[in-house]
Amino acid sequence: QVQLVESGGGLVQAGDSLRLSCAASGRTFSSLAMGWFRQAPGKEREFVAAIRRSGGSTYYADSVKGRFTISRDNGKNTVYLQMNSLKPEDTAVYYCAADYYFGTEPRTYDYWGQGTQVTVSS
């Protein structure tokens, strides 16, 4: 089992920045691929960013490319999502996910956090 706990969400204005954190426990963190997903009201959960086990490769949704950065600290068992130039359309619950396999689809990931709300006002 893998336990994931997100933090760092909040209410910000358009153009502001936030950094989300996801602390993992229960398995060797460095063996896990990590992803961030988000879900807005009435919409399906969508891919935001993902990072391979070593952190050497990162992937982003087109909608966040150039604004968001995913990173990981294997020594702290934590993955981060730095979000800059936030837009109202970024408003959603953001979820951290983990799995031994890498992917950009929600179904790839077996382990999920509880989510953290990000609200961007215009």
Side-chain angles (χ1 to χ4, degrees), residues 10-57:
L11 171 63
V12 297
Q13 294 187 332
D16 285 351
S17 298
L18 275 177
R19 188 176 82 157
L20 305 183
S21 299
C22 173
S25 61
R27 284 290 185 268
T28 303
F29 181 71
S30 59
S31 66
L32 298 168
M34 302 296 297
W36 285 98
F37 294 79
R38 67 186 182 187
Q39 188 166 18
K43 295 188 177 181
E44 293 186 353
R45 191 167 298 190
E46 65 174 3
F47 170 72
V48 175
I51 188 166
R52 292 193 182 270
R53 300 173 189 178
S54 65
S57 296

Side-chain angles (χ1 to χ4, degrees), residues 4-6 20-24 29 32-38 45-53 57-60 69-72 78-81 94-106 108-113 115:
L4 303 172
V5 179
E6 302 102 332
L20 305 183
S21 299
C22 173
F29 181 71
L32 298 168
M34 302 296 297
W36 285 98
F37 294 79
R38 67 186 182 187
R45 191 167 298 190
E46 65 174 3
F47 170 72
V48 175
I51 188 166
R52 292 193 182 270
R53 300 173 189 178
S57 296
T58 56
Y59 299 83
Y60 298 94
T69 302
I70 188 172
S71 63
R72 64 190 297 159
T78 302
V79 64
Y80 304 98
L81 185 68
Y94 282 71
Y95 296 91
C96 173
D99 202 272
Y100 296 103
Y101 297 98
F102 176 85
T104 60
E105 295 290 333
T108 300
Y109 294 84
D110 281 341
Y111 304 105
W112 292 84

